Amino acid sequence: MLLSSLLIFWVLGALEETSNFKYTVSIPIVYPFHGGVNFEMRVKNNFSLSFELNNYLFIIPWKLELGIREYLGKDGFDGIYFYQGLGMQFFYFFYDEGTRKIIPNLTFSVGYKFVFDSGFTLGPFLGIFVPIINFSIPFPVIGLYIGYSW
């Protein structure tokens, strides 16, 4: 825990001035029927940290995710990227006397982020969601981020 905290502070301390845009707030529209909010912060060179809070059909369950994006272009905050994320899915089953369950998961995706001069941002992506518990079968996800960068 301490090592991961130190790593996060080191990455956050290494911010660089290579582009006019450093932050993005967006709404992920993901199949199957997920919504939520995403905050992305550019860090050293072509890397950014992504924090995401999702829900299913705008109700329960909730998913909290932290990930890293690596951009392949020269600009560093737009273009083609690879994403790796670690998340926790929180379920609450009404039909089973209020049973709660937490399922860790991994997400891997590839996408393209368009940042327009006005700050308007679009980001289509395609990926795979892998539940870690019991090595469940991974399933594909497809979606679009719509947001604003500054």
Side-chain angles (χ1 to χ4, degrees), residues 32-36 53-64 88-103:
F33 311 112
H34 280 81
L53 178 64
N54 284 333
N55 55 17
Y56 182 71
L57 293 175
F58 303 101
I59 54 172
I60 301 169
W62 291 91
K63 185 179 110 178
L64 212 53
M88 299 297 280
Q89 189 91 28
F90 302 94
F91 287 94
Y92 186 85
F93 297 99
F94 294 105
Y95 61 84
D96 194 13
E97 299 178 11
T99 302
R100 294 179 184 96
K101 195 173 247 190
I102 298 174
I103 300 174

